[in-house]
Amino acid sequence: MRNVIEIPRELAASQEKFNGEAGRAFITELPARTAHFLDHWKLKPDGPLMHGVCALVLPVLCPDGAPAVLKLQILDEESEGEPVALRVWNGDGAVRLIDHDEPTCTMLLERLDETRMLSHVPDTHQAVVTIAELLAHLTSFPAPPGLRRLGDIARAMLDRTPWALGRIPDPEARRLVADCAAAVREVVDEPGDRLLHWDLHDENVLASDRAHWLAIDPKPLSGDPGFELWPALDNRYDPDDILWRFDAMTDVLALDRPRARAWTLARLLQNTLWDIEDGRPLDNDQLEIARRLRTPRTP
């Protein structure tokens, strides 16, 4: 185990799909990289491998016996900001970073309880409020220099919108996406400067002994907290609950609702561009989220 690991087939497939040649190279060198960091940080494997779409996670024991996890992932524009954000939060509302290798973006992290995930909480309203409370705290930190900026991302999306609209055959869906782009144009010149997690869904919130709930796996950027709401609207999708969730989250985060609505619609625009670029059909559930948020309501 110390020198050889068995690469999960699902991880190899996702790296092939999303990263092509770079993903294949990452998978090929992953056993040697794992062995290197086990030796480098004097770690002892302490449980079965885990993985997501992008990363391999190995439970380990540190030299002092403290439980931790070794996270190995490909270095890209999303992952390179993860240790930066974790250092800013310093364990306050998020998993604690113990050590980090900058060239490979390999991280040694405190071990949380993967069996106690927010997605296991049966009350979806409670889960949404928990995410909102975490976001209110995490986004209270100003973004450090050098992170991806929401303004740049939003302008690039707007530049691609005419191309995307020409590839949406359904007139109603095309109008909906055009409306989302129009909403983004209203706010793009004031993109915000908070430290955003970007991907705080209910499987990225775990329990630990030191805190009831902690965030993991950020894809951080600098921007407006309204851009954070989408995952909690999409978790355990329920069309009749979308407006309740949006109102509850904007209340907890004390956000201006029209502005938060615009940045939430930006997430539909972002997902639409990715779907079209990858040749996938648009997601009807995600379209419905945008459809229900598109029209401002009278208080």
Side-chain angles (χ1 to χ4, degrees):
M1 178 67 181
R2 195 165 182 78
N3 297 307
V4 178
I5 59 169
E6 183 176 349
I7 304 297
R9 284 178 294 178
E10 297 86 355
L11 178 62
S14 65
Q15 284 293 334
E16 170 87 23
K17 177 180 179 181
F18 294 113
N19 295 311
E21 181 58 37
R24 290 191 292 272
F26 169 72
I27 292 297
T28 298
E29 69 176 20
L30 194 49
R33 184 181 296 186
T34 302
H36 168 76
F37 283 105
L38 288 173
D39 290 336
H40 178 66
W41 284 323
K42 298 178 173 57
L43 306 172
K44 178 182 177 182
D46 187 45
L49 290 168
M50 299 175 286
H51 69 91
V53 173
C54 301
L56 183 76
V57 178
L58 176 62
V60 295
L61 294 176
C62 295
D64 63 359
V69 295
L70 181 65
K71 182 176 182 180
L72 303 109
Q73 60 191 339
I74 198 166
L75 176 63
D76 58 23
E77 66 174 3
E78 291 186 352
S79 64
E80 69 178 351
E82 182 173 357
V84 177
L86 293 179
R87 283 200 177 99
V88 170
W89 290 321
N90 194 27
D92 188 2
V95 64
R96 180 172 286 118
L97 178 66
I98 301 170
D99 211 337
H100 167 234
D101 178 71
E102 186 172 352
T104 63
C105 206
T106 300
M107 293 182 292
L108 184 63
L109 302 163
E110 73 170 313
R111 193 189 309 180
L112 306 182
D113 188 349
E114 75 278 2
T115 69
R116 294 160 60 203
M117 192 178 290
L118 187 60
S119 60
H120 301 159
V121 172
D123 186 340
T124 55
H125 285 189
Q126 179 185 341
V128 166
V129 170
T130 295
I131 288 176
E133 290 171 344
L134 276 174
L135 287 174
H137 181 69
L138 297 175
T139 61
S140 69
F141 291 79
L147 285 184
R148 298 178 302 151
R149 297 183 299 181
L150 178 56
D152 296 337
I153 293 170
R155 290 185 184 91
M157 291 194 300
L158 292 174
D159 288 343
R160 293 288 280 166
T161 296
W163 168 86
L165 292 176
R167 287 159 175 78
I168 301 175
D170 179 69
E172 194 275 334
R174 189 164 57 246
R175 284 193 299 271
L176 178 61
V177 173
D179 287 348
C180 290
V184 176
R185 289 190 193 97
E186 294 294 322
V187 295
V188 69
D189 291 331
E190 297 181 8
D193 63 357
R194 300 288 92 189
L195 177 53
L196 306 186
H197 182 289
W198 184 81
D199 195 28
L200 199 61
H201 55 75
D202 58 8
E203 293 185 356
N204 273 346
V205 180
L206 300 181
S208 80
D209 292 337
R210 70 173 180 85
H212 195 49
W213 296 113
L214 293 169
I216 65 167
D217 200 23
K219 306 290 188 292
L221 61 151
S222 171
D224 189 292
F227 200 60
E228 295 274 44
L229 308 184
W230 184 271
L233 300 176
D234 196 33
N235 288 164
R236 290 184 268 181
Y237 174 73
D238 180 350
D240 295 329
D241 208 34
I242 291 167
L243 296 181
W244 184 94
R245 296 183 190 189
F246 179 80
D247 288 349
M249 296 185 78
T250 51
D251 279 347
V252 172
L253 278 92
L255 299 180
D256 175 77
R257 279 196 179 134
R259 183 177 177 83
R261 182 180 296 109
W263 282 120
T264 302
L265 294 175
R267 294 294 287 266
L268 185 278
L269 180 60
Q270 185 176 56
N271 292 342
T272 296
L273 289 168
W274 286 337
D275 285 342
I276 294 173
E277 288 165 0
D278 292 342
R280 297 188 300 265
L282 302 190
D283 186 297
N284 288 327
D285 292 350
Q286 296 199 2
L287 290 173
E288 184 62 20
I289 293 173
R291 193 175 289 116
R292 298 209 178 200
L293 290 176
R294 176 176 53 178
T295 305
R297 290 162 293 148
T298 302

